[in-house]
Amino acid sequence: KKGSIGVKPGDRVAAGQALGLVGYSGWTEYPHVHIGVRKDGGVVDPFQGGAAMAACGPSVGALWTDEALRGLAYADSVPYAIGFAPGPPAAERLRNGDYGAQSLPADSPALVLWVEMYWPRAGDRMDMSVTGPDGEILFSQTKTIEKSQARRFDFTGKRLTGSAWPSGAYRGVVTVTAPNGPARTLDAHIVLNP
């Protein structure tokens, strides 16, 4: 965050000392912090303890203490926003807060589940499903992410085929699973009113 940096080049810092705040500055698309670590005259990845960008995630040579690693809770693919829309959503409108409704009209032309996530990796599996008021799966989709990205926006849905969707509560679930890693799940609820 602009103006939040509390240290300057050459300062010695202590464990736990605040260096600055995460925020938007420069050409960033989302709030994050960029940190570079130098050790023994070279840039290193503090999660690996070796050359920077060798791989992501903690390893045996990590420079962090055990306590710091627990606090960092490093994760790759992280879905962080999920919701419903009455038709194909646009990422720009999502980021403007246009898809935050807790209910939709039962005659909405479509029911669409959307998700936004950080750091999806090639090979991750993404499962998306919507359950209707009767507890039955209304629609679902599974896809394998083809390329690694800093951020991904995706959606799946179904068009209205009758005059109205059944009234009641719907649940959407998105699970992202790394090939050899944990599954991360988010869910959302919406009510369709007559």
Side-chain angles (χ1 to χ4, degrees), residues 89-116:
E92 298 78 26
R93 290 188 60 199
L94 162 75
R95 293 175 193 133
N96 287 334
D98 292 348
Y99 303 123
Q102 299 299 310
S103 64
L104 290 172
D107 63 352
S108 292
L111 185 59
V112 178
L113 176 67
W114 56 262
V115 65
E116 193 159 34

Side-chain angles (χ1 to χ4, degrees), residues 82-144:
I82 183 176
F84 286 94
E92 298 78 26
R93 290 188 60 199
L94 162 75
R95 293 175 193 133
N96 287 334
D98 292 348
Y99 303 123
Q102 299 299 310
S103 64
L104 290 172
D107 63 352
S108 292
L111 185 59
V112 178
L113 176 67
W114 56 262
V115 65
E116 193 159 34
M117 66 187 81
Y118 290 134
W119 304 114
R121 300 289 185 225
D124 289 353
R125 188 183 79 226
M126 182 173 58
D127 297 292
M128 302 176 76
S129 65
V130 171
T131 304
D134 60 1
E136 297 291 320
I137 293 179
L138 182 63
F139 58 88
S140 65
Q141 180 182 53
T142 296
K143 58 173 79 168
T144 300

Side-chain angles (χ1 to χ4, degrees), residues 32-84:
H32 72 284
V33 64
H34 177 84
I35 184 170
V37 177
R38 298 183 68 85
K39 182 180 181 201
D40 300 327
V43 176
V44 296
D45 179 345
F47 285 96
Q48 296 293 321
M53 301 306 289
C56 289
S59 73
V60 176
L63 300 179
W64 307 114
T65 63
D66 290 341
E67 181 183 1
L69 278 173
R70 283 191 297 277
L72 290 169
Y74 182 86
D76 263 349
S77 303
V78 180
Y80 66 89
I82 183 176
F84 286 94

